Amino acid sequence: QVQLVESGGGLVQPGGSLRLSCAASGSIFSINIMGWSRQAPGKQRELVARIHSDGSPSYADSAKGRFTISRDSAKNAVYLQMNSLKPEDTAVYYCNLWQPGHDYWGQGTQITVSS
């Protein structure tokens, strides 16, 4: 019913910036939450940021002050602006959509922060 496709991943130097994009297609309800989670090898999956359809954002402590989540509900898209990136941010990042009845994940995009 819903497909999420992430883009914008890649290799970036410490201290650099990167912007992730996610486009959703399918049956998208007007009331929903979109967000980003990540998982590094050997670590638990971590919710990075999410944003409600009313525009209210929330962030993990590790993302506060560095990352900004935004969305364009008309385009069914969500974005994550990441600044001051650290090697600890290296992970596969997944776009998520939560809406009544189902939760959806994208296929993930790799972000590597390294010099």
Side-chain angles (χ1 to χ4, degrees), residues 2 69 72 86:
V2 172
I69 190 169
D72 185 341
K86 304 174 181 179

Side-chain angles (χ1 to χ4, degrees), residues 83-110:
N83 299 323
S84 301
L85 284 162
K86 304 174 181 179
E88 303 92 282
D89 295 317
T90 296
V92 176
Y93 285 69
Y94 299 92
C95 180
N96 301 110
L97 170 66
W98 299 272
Q99 62 182 24
H102 288 95
D103 302 332
Y104 300 93
W105 286 41
Q107 65 180 0
T109 184
Q110 176 71 47

Side-chain angles (χ1 to χ4, degrees), residues 45-68:
R45 176 177 172 269
E46 175 188 29
L47 178 65
V48 177
R50 63 183 184 177
I51 183 167
H52 194 273
S53 51
D54 68 7
S56 301
S58 62
Y59 299 92
D61 288 342
S62 60
K64 291 179 180 177
R66 299 189 298 128
F67 296 180
T68 301

Side-chain angles (χ1 to χ4, degrees), residues 6-101:
E6 302 97 336
S7 63
L11 176 65
V12 65
Q13 293 185 330
S17 297
L18 203 62
R19 186 174 190 249
L20 297 181
S21 299
C22 173
S25 61
S27 182
I28 310 300
F29 295 174
S30 60
I31 299 176
N32 61 64
I33 298 172
M34 299 187 75
W36 297 90
S37 60
R38 67 186 182 186
Q39 188 164 30
K43 297 185 180 296
Q44 288 187 301
R45 176 177 172 269
E46 175 188 29
L47 178 65
V48 177
R50 63 183 184 177
I51 183 167
H52 194 273
S53 51
D54 68 7
S56 301
S58 62
Y59 299 92
D61 288 342
S62 60
K64 291 179 180 177
R66 299 189 298 128
F67 296 180
T68 301
I69 190 169
S70 61
R71 66 182 291 164
D72 185 341
S73 293
K75 297 182 181 294
N76 293 322
V78 63
Y79 311 93
L80 187 67
Q81 178 66 45
M82 300 182 290
N83 299 323
S84 301
L85 284 162
K86 304 174 181 179
E88 303 92 282
D89 295 317
T90 296
V92 176
Y93 285 69
Y94 299 92
C95 180
N96 301 110
L97 170 66
W98 299 272
Q99 62 182 24

